[in-house]
Amino acid sequence: MARIRLGISSCLLGERVRYDGGHKRDRHITSLFVSHVEWVPVCPEAESGLGVPREAMLLEGDPGAPRLVGRESGRDYTETVTGWARRRLPQLAAAGLRGFIFKSRSPSSGPADIPVRPAGDGPGGQGKGIFARMVMESLPGLPVTDEERLARPAAGESFIESVFVYDCWLGSVAGRESARALARFHRQHRHVVMARSVSHLRRLDELLARAGNRRVADLQRCYLEILAEAMAVEADRDSHARALADIAGGLVERATPAERHGLEAAIARFRRGSVPPSLPRLLVRRLAFRHEPSMLRWHYLQPPLAEARLRRRHRSVYENIT
Ligand code: SF4
């Protein structure tokens, strides 16, 4: 089976590239993804020539467009890192990444919530790491997370699902200029989106319903933008129960009274937290197999095997630390 390619901050793999010459190896990440992923490690500070060891950095100025400066010297390293990143990003785009796991709290690599020190009388606040921001802007739709978010059950499983949905997007829609391929993708992924955000699903429905003569490439760009926003929302128990109930609604009329009762009871028990999500999903899959086999092409009901394995493994790898 082909391995998924993920970008990762080099220090999380144990490379000694941090400002103090150390690393931040995360054994949970490597044991979760072992044999499923080909890593593309990147350290923006070391690779841009700032050296190891080096001065510790922080973000300063406008939180929307902060500068990367030395913590002690105040020296501005922004151009060094962004100039290097502009040359490195086309290589990352060509690498076919399906996601990126960044190092949290890093002024270069952190994807969110990085403190930004005010410059002069400015307000300061929080922003994205300088390199992480450039990755997100140049690869729209790429699922991103950091090692702290990945460790949380709902956020970690949501990231894994996002990686495989993005893989489907790249494999079946991107670069094809086909309205039919986009419509098929939407049919097969609508319950994945529903489990994240009903309002985003409505926006996608409307976008396609009002497509008219709009250029397919333009439609794809807007679709991916909304999809990426939706996939950044974490699914929770209630939202999964909503998606399952919606799928079940299309099947129960054809089900026997016993099947209907069993499914409704399983969804209710899942909603209360007394059974895992696999039980109602299994019952829905069985009903679909019997009454509407085409539904088994839906990503939500039948995710790729590698995704299902990784989601199961996520629960076992992180269960003792969350
Ligand atoms: S957080 Fe980013 S810049 Fe810092 S050592 Fe890790 S990979 Fe390099």
Side-chain angles (χ1 to χ4, degrees):
M1 192 185 303
R3 293 184 184 206
I4 290 274
R5 265 194 190 170
L6 293 184
I8 187 165
S9 296
S10 305
C11 56
L12 291 173
L13 290 183
E15 294 182 22
R16 295 185 176 280
V17 287
R18 278 175 50 88
Y19 71 96
D20 57 2
H23 62 74
K24 281 285 179 183
R25 175 178 293 129
D26 190 310
R27 292 185 194 283
H28 293 101
I29 291 179
T30 44
S31 80
L32 168 62
F33 289 105
V34 66
S35 77
H36 280 88
V37 157
E38 182 182 335
W39 296 116
V40 179
V42 188
C43 175
E45 292 181 14
E47 290 180 36
S48 64
L50 297 183
V52 183
R54 59 185 172 272
E55 180 180 16
M57 318 270 168
L58 52 74
L59 293 179
E60 184 180 89
D62 174 3
R67 314 287 300 173
L68 182 70
V69 300
R71 194 174 279 273
E72 297 298 328
S73 68
R75 195 173 147 197
D76 192 332
Y77 295 100
T78 313
E79 289 310 318
T80 306
V81 173
T82 56
W84 161 84
R86 278 191 287 276
R87 296 188 297 280
R88 185 76 165 95
L89 285 170
Q91 296 166 359
L92 292 177
L97 301 183
R98 268 37 179 181
F100 208 117
I101 302 173
F102 287 107
K103 175 73 190 74
S104 64
R105 303 166 194 244
S106 157
S108 296
S109 300
D113 307 329
I114 312 300
V116 181
R117 184 170 75 181
D121 294 336
Q126 293 194 318
K128 297 184 175 92
I130 283 254
F131 173 64
R133 170 191 295 277
M134 292 177 79
V135 171
M136 288 185 248
E137 286 174 356
S138 71
L139 298 172
L142 183 77
V144 301
T145 189
D146 60 42
E147 83 289 2
E148 292 186 352
R149 287 178 175 80
L150 188 68
R152 290 196 275 114
E157 285 201 46
S158 291
F159 173 72
I160 292 167
E161 182 182 55
S162 300
V163 162
F164 284 90
V165 168
Y166 186 58
D167 183 53
C168 293
W169 172 268
L170 293 182
S172 62
V173 180
R176 286 201 178 187
E177 299 250 348
S178 160
R180 282 177 70 179
L182 182 59
R184 191 182 322 118
F185 178 91
H186 186 58
R187 243 186 345 268
Q188 292 178 353
H189 292 85
R190 59 179 296 113
H191 287 90
V192 170
V193 178
M194 183 185 284
R196 308 292 186 108
S197 163
V198 171
S199 64
H200 284 85
L201 179 61
R202 267 192 221 114
R203 285 170 61 195
L204 291 175
D205 284 340
E206 277 170 25
L207 179 75
L208 295 188
R210 294 184 188 162
N213 292 328
R214 208 163 157 184
R215 282 186 54 231
V216 176
D218 186 33
L219 210 52
Q220 286 177 346
R221 189 183 47 73
C222 293
Y223 189 97
L224 182 60
E225 211 171 279
I226 301 169
L227 177 69
E229 266 181 36
M231 298 309 286
V233 178
E234 286 169 26
D236 60 20
R237 192 168 284 279
D238 278 345
S239 63
H240 277 303
R242 181 176 62 216
L244 283 164
D246 189 81
I247 298 173
L251 287 167
V252 287
E253 284 181 5
R254 281 170 277 175
T256 65
E259 286 173 335
R260 186 162 53 235
H261 175 73
L263 179 56
E264 287 168 354
I267 294 174
R269 288 170 66 201
F270 164 66
R271 201 187 282 271
R272 288 197 301 274
S274 50
V275 295
S278 49
L279 178 66
R281 274 200 208 209
L282 178 70
L283 296 181
V284 173
R285 264 203 301 272
R286 274 194 197 149
L287 275 184
F289 181 73
R290 202 164 302 151
H291 302 293
E292 191 63 67
S294 64
M295 287 168 77
L296 294 176
R297 291 197 206 103
W298 295 359
H299 192 122
Y300 190 80
L301 277 188
Q302 194 89 301
L305 201 56
E307 175 188 327
R309 278 197 193 131
L310 279 172
R311 289 171 68 165
R312 269 200 306 277
R313 201 189 285 182
H314 184 277
R315 278 168 238 150
S316 65
V317 167
Y318 285 101
E319 69 184 349
N320 294 326
I321 65 163
T322 54

